[in-house]
Amino acid sequence: MSFDLANIHPGVWRAHQLASDNSARISSGFAQLDQQLPGGGWPTRNLIELLLKHHGIGELRFLMPVLRKLTLEKKKLVLIGAPLLPLTPVFEQFGVELNQVHLIQTDKPQDRLWAIEQVLQSDSFGALFMWLPEEKTLCSPTVLRRLQYQATRSQGLSFVFRPIRAQMQPSPASLRLCLTAQSASTLRVHLIKRRGPVLEQALLIDLPKPQGALPDTPHSQELVRALDRPQLQTTPQPTRSQIAI
């Protein structure tokens, strides 16, 4: 008697095929990347790890199609522990509605972890962006497994930014990507973990440009630099009672 393993459960998949499950997918905004992502886009209900050599290489521009799409749908974006805060007019130039963007800053690892878990449990966000430095309180296997479990109970996207050296460590995240700068306008994206066959060749992604600016003009270049450059954080550290979305 023969049977198809794929019919047993949607979570069953063969190693030579991209997996599919019941999680909703949201397009990355890049056709060549969507073709390599299981289900054809970013998976909800999962941790997605973005591993960086350093901040400011274009990681926010890489995610700009998602930020724009979700805010236009009136869904909240929550950024926790962002080391570089772009100028707000630049977000607007990329079509992101600022009233849907929420920033949470705290220096204490335990407070940051508490804030992340509160947002995940609230399940009232379109996308959550978490910056986790290699600090044991934030990046222990136990903590990452707990965050992955909580992400499976939410409906939004959950992105985790970690140093690129973390690629050598095991992770419960279902999707892991290494991001490196190929040029000022191109990002090299290497999928090091996905539910499917190993992708040996890295993808070269042309980063989006701001709206209303002609390609390669000084105005366009200045907006791009403003998005990637750091901005001093001057707002006071929020207390737990202020962390609500």
Side-chain angles (χ1 to χ4, degrees), residues 2-9 12 14:
S2 63
F3 58 93
D4 188 352
L5 290 175
N7 293 327
I8 297 177
H9 189 276
V12 175
R14 294 181 174 90

Side-chain angles (χ1 to χ4, degrees), residues 4 8 22 84 129 163 198 203 208 214 242:
D4 188 352
I8 297 177
N22 294 326
L84 308 180
F129 305 89
V198 174
L203 304 174
L214 296 175
Q242 294 173 313

Side-chain angles (χ1 to χ4, degrees), residues 36-37 39 73 79 90 92 94 99 118-119 162 170 183 229:
Q36 301 300 332
L37 295 176
E73 294 174 355
L79 288 73
V90 182
E92 293 177 322
F94 277 88
N99 61 344
Q118 292 300 305
V119 174
R162 298 181 65 192
S183 69
R229 75 161 67 100

Side-chain angles (χ1 to χ4, degrees), residues 60-61 64 67-68 85-98 101 208-213 219-231:
L60 286 181
R61 278 186 285 156
M64 199 54 66
L67 273 69
R68 181 172 57 248
L85 299 182
L87 301 173
T88 52
V90 182
F91 263 18
E92 293 177 322
Q93 284 291 326
F94 277 88
V96 175
E97 294 194 4
L98 293 178
V101 179
K209 294 180 172 63
Q211 299 176 357
H219 180 55
S220 175
Q221 295 170 8
E222 177 60 25
L223 284 172
V224 165
R225 287 193 294 269
L227 183 59
D228 294 334
R229 75 161 67 100
Q231 177 187 5

Side-chain angles (χ1 to χ4, degrees), residues 56-114:
I57 61 171
E59 63 270 24
L60 286 181
R61 278 186 285 156
F62 175 59
L63 295 172
M64 199 54 66
V66 173
L67 273 69
R68 181 172 57 248
K69 172 181 172 57
L70 292 176
T71 60
L72 290 176
E73 294 174 355
K74 306 303 179 184
K75 295 181 179 179
K76 295 182 177 68
L77 307 179
V78 184
L79 288 73
I80 301 181
L84 308 180
L85 299 182
L87 301 173
T88 52
V90 182
F91 263 18
E92 293 177 322
Q93 284 291 326
F94 277 88
V96 175
E97 294 194 4
L98 293 178
N99 61 344
Q100 299 298 329
V101 179
H102 302 260
L103 302 177
I104 299 175
Q105 295 293 109
T106 178
D107 294 329
K108 296 180 180 179
Q110 287 289 2
D111 286 345
R112 186 183 303 189
L113 181 58
W114 181 89

